[in-house]
Amino acid sequence: MYINSAYLNRSVVDFKDKSRPLIVGSCGTYHLYTRPRLPTHRPRGRWDFQLLYIASGKAHFYFDKSEKDTIVTAGHMVLYYPKEPQRYVYYGDDQTEVYWVHFTGNNVKNILRHYGITDAMRVIPAGTSFEYTKIFKQMIQELQRCQTHYPELLTLLLLQLLIQIHRQLGREHKRKDAYLQAEMETAIQFFNDNYNTEISIEEYAASRGMSVSWFIRNFKQYAHTTPMQYLMERRMTNAQMLLETTSYNITEIGNLVGYENPLYFSRIFRKQKGMSPSEYRRHGGIADRSDTSLLQK
């Protein structure tokens, strides 16, 4: 097992210091490959903040006093707040390599928020980067050498680390936005092409590897309506067009837009448009062309 760590003023005692906005107290690294297991358990936490970076392998964290572990893989960071219970384990079989830094100050939470790390974040998708390990190693060296102005330089290095994390979070957000837009456009195209068939929202979501609740929530944000409401609107709009421009009877039109039961089709149409399909046809589509209030019911 490889260990390299260093402490401010060469003191291993954790501390809280409100004299400056941000102060680095200690920094280090572990690379586990000979010992089978390396556990850490601090039931009362520490006085300072701790940020851990999983550079390779994985680590097992037990949050909120849970006996079920959360597996954190390479490319993620874990943030602990002061006095928050800490319990995590590294295993030799995982070839875990981790870097950590402890810090304190009178403006830490605001600084973290400024760089995109919200109070609710516990596991941070930071990505893997040699830049991270380079910064951690520089902080370890500064703490070991204790050269002129090294506490100030440590603060600058930690800020540089937070900037790198913020940039990665921005890239991650853009990737998620692109993925979300592509998925919603795919769903809308599928619904447009198949609106007159029996569509199961649950089956569609499963076919795309999404949970039903996630799909419905994000579809509503994207299209400003639920998937089922979107399908119904497509059916009603096309039914209106057929009533205005064709001589198909009501049963045929209901079938064309996806309703096998003509009574059910008429009931849905009336509910949405304020009059039955027959009334709509007799009025020449007046509900659609002049009485817009009916379309909003």
Side-chain angles (χ1 to χ4, degrees):
M1 181 175 72
Y2 174 77
I3 302 175
N4 191 19
S5 58
Y7 299 83
L8 186 67
N9 301 322
R10 295 188 171 87
S11 172
V12 298
V13 178
D14 61 311
F15 63 94
K16 178 172 63 175
D17 188 335
K18 298 292 186 179
S19 63
R20 284 178 286 153
L22 187 63
I23 301 165
V24 174
S26 58
C27 188
T29 180
Y30 294 112
H31 191 179
L32 198 66
Y33 49 85
T34 55
R35 293 184 62 176
R37 185 170 178 268
L38 181 62
T40 295
H41 190 199
R42 302 184 181 106
R44 297 182 180 179
R46 291 175 52 104
W47 284 102
D48 52 15
F49 291 78
Q50 180 178 206
L51 184 66
L52 302 103
Y53 169 53
I54 312 302
S56 62
K58 57 186 176 182
H60 300 253
F61 289 82
Y62 297 82
F63 297 118
D64 301 320
K65 299 181 181 180
S66 173
E67 290 303 314
K68 179 175 175 55
D69 64 334
T70 297
I71 298 175
V72 179
T73 56
H76 292 81
M77 296 194 186
V78 173
L79 178 64
Y80 280 111
Y81 284 79
K83 298 183 180 180
E84 181 181 359
Q86 300 181 10
R87 183 184 169 201
Y88 47 90
V89 183
Y90 311 137
Y91 291 97
D93 289 343
D94 296 331
Q95 294 288 295
T96 306
E97 182 180 11
V98 62
Y99 291 82
W100 51 266
V101 58
H102 292 283
F103 50 97
T104 184
N106 61 33
N107 199 32
V108 175
K109 286 187 178 181
N110 287 329
I111 291 171
L112 292 172
R113 292 167 188 152
H114 178 72
Y115 293 110
I117 302 174
T118 67
D119 296 352
M121 279 187 174
R122 177 168 275 155
V123 179
I124 304 167
T128 55
S129 171
F130 287 118
E131 193 65 30
Y132 293 143
T133 58
K134 177 182 175 182
I135 295 171
F136 277 108
K137 288 176 180 179
Q138 283 183 280
M139 287 193 286
I140 293 170
Q141 289 179 355
E142 287 298 323
L143 284 163
Q144 290 172 338
R145 294 173 180 174
C146 301
Q147 294 180 320
T148 306
H149 303 301
Y150 80 98
E152 293 93 325
L153 184 53
L154 285 166
T155 298
L156 293 175
L157 287 168
L158 180 54
L159 289 173
Q160 184 180 348
L161 180 66
L162 295 176
I163 290 170
Q164 293 296 329
I165 294 170
H166 195 195
R167 288 177 175 176
Q168 177 60 31
L169 290 174
R171 289 190 287 268
E172 188 74 16
H173 182 70
K174 289 180 181 178
R175 282 197 294 268
K176 286 183 178 179
D177 282 351
Y179 164 77
L180 178 62
Q181 181 171 344
E183 282 295 342
M184 295 306 107
E185 289 177 353
T186 298
I188 285 176
Q189 187 61 54
F190 178 82
F191 292 161
N192 287 342
D193 293 343
N194 300 277
Y195 75 92
N196 58 347
T197 65
E198 186 176 347
I199 295 177
S200 166
I201 302 302
E202 290 78 8
E203 290 178 3
Y204 178 82
S207 73
R208 303 295 300 178
M210 301 176 286
S211 72
V212 177
S213 60
W214 186 93
F215 173 61
I216 293 175
R217 181 175 67 254
N218 285 281
F219 187 95
K220 188 172 183 179
Q221 289 179 352
Y222 184 82
H224 307 292
T225 186
T226 66
M228 289 308 299
Q229 289 169 336
Y230 183 86
L231 284 169
M232 182 181 295
E233 184 58 34
R234 296 283 70 72
R235 290 170 176 171
M236 293 299 104
T237 298
N238 288 323
Q240 286 178 259
M241 182 272 295
L242 291 170
L243 287 166
E244 293 177 24
T245 61
T246 74
S247 59
Y248 292 129
N249 62 43
I250 304 304
T251 299
E252 289 172 324
I253 290 175
N255 284 331
L256 286 171
V257 299
Y259 296 100
E260 295 182 3
N261 187 325
L263 294 177
Y264 181 68
F265 166 59
S266 295
R267 185 163 65 249
I268 293 295
F269 191 95
R270 178 186 290 276
K271 182 178 180 180
Q272 296 297 313
K273 304 303 178 182
M275 61 176 66
S276 70
S278 299
E279 291 170 330
Y280 183 86
R281 172 169 275 173
R282 282 198 303 271
H283 286 80
I286 190 171
D288 187 49
R289 288 197 288 264
S290 62
D291 191 353
T292 58
S293 64
L294 291 175
L295 297 180
Q296 297 170 356
K297 289 186 177 181

